[in-house]
Amino acid sequence: MKCRVCKAKANVYLRYANMAFCKEHFIEFFERRVRRAIERFKMIEKGDKVVVAVSGGKDSLALLYVLNELSKTMDFEILAVTIDLGMGEYSKLSVEIAEKNYKRLGVDYRIVELEDYGFTIDDVAKYRISGRICGICGTAKRYILNKVAKEEGASKLATGHNLDDFLQVVLQGYLYGNLEDLARYYPITPSLSGLVARIKPLVTTPEKDSLIYTIAKGIEYVVMECPYSLRASSRDLKNAIFYLEERRPGTRFSMFNTYVKMIYPLIREAYFKGGVLKKCKECGEPTNADVCLFCRVKSSVSAKRSA
Ligand code: Q46
Ligand code: ZN
Ligand code: ZN
């Protein structure tokens, strides 16, 4: 098979698009598609300061490399942020690999420790704090990234959610009827009382393509799996989507377009609750409750630590 651009021997074949590329032209294609998603959903404007959330995994690092490239021509700046979540060896390795990549690219970065905010994810597991670990971990990441983005005067917060991640959340919303959640689920979430605008530049990038991109660019990423990852239900949904994709290549893109063009606007109209948030009585960060979930977890851990 030959590269569709230069006709040299192809290294990558994308079945969903029936296109083949050599390494160099795959990289170009990948970066152009991210740029198009950014433009289509108006994710980044001139002069933006974008915090890039980097876990050390393939998607967040692919995102970092692409945004670093695009920042040179699209006139915005980036700041990479990694949170040490306090999960033993896994966190150590994640931070180490993220930092190696920051140095390789020469980008500005910050590494923050969850421990400095009051607890670690290992504490949540050890003290059996009520709630799913991944739910609490997700809350902690959103809380800290938003806080750091505000401290740094950032106008956008970018995460590495890819097309498969996005569709999995949409399907989960359909299955369980979480329509209020879906009313806020879109490639860009505008800023809102104390929350920095969030963007998902990889939203039109299939998961496997980020993997190929990281390999093509020689990016070192964390292969080890998180010790708390159960993934059962989210994996099942992804497998279901993948099954449909295998039978009919391109299904994921049509699911995506149907959602953003037709379904999301209807759900938004019917279920979006205006989005005014309260301020947490303890930390002042935005929340739906009197005291935010982050502060509640923090108090439970400190009560158990001193018990
Ligand atoms: S949420 Fe769950 Fe992840 Fe946190 S505890 Fe690990 S698997 S890192 S994306
Ligand atoms: Zn080529
Ligand atoms: Zn709080």
Side-chain angles (χ1 to χ4, degrees), residues 70-286:
L70 297 180
S71 69
K72 296 173 189 165
T73 53
M74 290 176 76
D75 197 17
F76 64 89
E77 49 172 315
I78 59 169
L79 170 73
V81 175
T82 296
I83 308 171
D84 180 336
L85 293 160
M87 295 193 277
E89 274 310 300
Y90 174 74
S91 290
K92 261 192 215 150
L93 185 69
S94 306
V95 169
E96 202 180 292
I97 288 182
E99 204 165 9
K100 257 193 202 171
N101 281 288
Y102 298 154
K103 291 190 174 147
R104 175 178 167 194
L105 289 176
V107 295
D108 290 336
Y109 70 94
R110 254 185 83 177
I111 292 176
V112 291
E113 304 206 4
L114 179 55
E115 172 82 82
D116 292 342
Y117 292 78
F119 62 93
T120 65
I121 298 301
D122 279 345
D123 289 331
V124 172
K126 180 172 157 199
Y127 298 122
R128 299 174 187 274
I129 304 298
S130 71
R132 285 182 317 114
I133 293 190
C134 285
I136 295 175
C137 177
T139 300
K141 288 192 272 197
R142 281 191 296 276
Y143 179 92
I144 290 178
L145 287 168
N146 190 60
K147 235 173 167 245
V148 172
K150 284 196 288 185
E151 281 165 23
E152 297 288 343
S155 43
K156 300 281 161 62
L157 173 53
T159 54
H161 295 97
N162 58 43
L163 176 63
D164 300 63
D165 297 328
F166 188 85
L167 293 177
Q168 178 230 308
V169 172
V170 168
L171 199 53
Q172 204 160 349
Y174 292 170
L175 288 177
Y176 302 109
N178 309 331
L179 299 181
E180 281 179 26
D181 293 342
L182 285 189
R184 285 178 277 115
Y185 203 66
Y186 197 67
I188 170 163
T189 318
S191 76
L192 172 98
S193 48
L195 291 175
V196 174
R198 303 174 154 266
I199 56 172
K200 300 177 180 64
L202 299 188
V203 74
T204 53
T205 299
E207 190 162 299
K208 199 169 149 205
D209 291 20
S210 319
L211 176 65
I212 302 171
Y213 180 79
T214 47
I215 296 169
K217 297 274 287 183
I219 301 171
E220 189 182 352
Y221 66 93
V222 182
V223 181
M224 184 179 171
E225 193 151 332
C226 167
Y228 302 113
S229 135
L230 290 171
R231 294 178 146 213
S233 70
S234 62
R235 253 301 133 205
D236 285 350
L237 291 178
K238 278 195 179 166
N239 288 342
I241 295 167
F242 200 72
Y243 172 80
L244 297 174
E245 177 72 38
E246 285 283 291
R247 309 266 305 187
R248 284 173 197 267
T251 297
R252 284 173 300 181
F253 287 102
S254 47
M255 275 177 80
F256 176 77
N257 285 320
T258 305
Y259 177 75
V260 297
K261 285 190 196 152
M262 299 165 78
I263 298 176
Y264 173 78
L266 294 175
I267 297 182
R268 173 116 184 145
E269 207 181 309
Y271 290 92
F272 185 63
K273 296 258 170 82
V276 181
L277 294 169
K278 300 191 230 175
K279 278 190 171 183
C280 168
K281 281 184 178 158
E282 295 191 6
C283 69
E285 289 298 306

Side-chain angles (χ1 to χ4, degrees), residues 1-11 20-22 25:
M1 214 171 280
K2 288 182 177 164
C3 167
R4 73 192 310 259
V5 182
C6 69
K7 312 294 175 218
K9 187 177 170 291
N11 306 97
F21 294 101
C22 67
H25 289 117

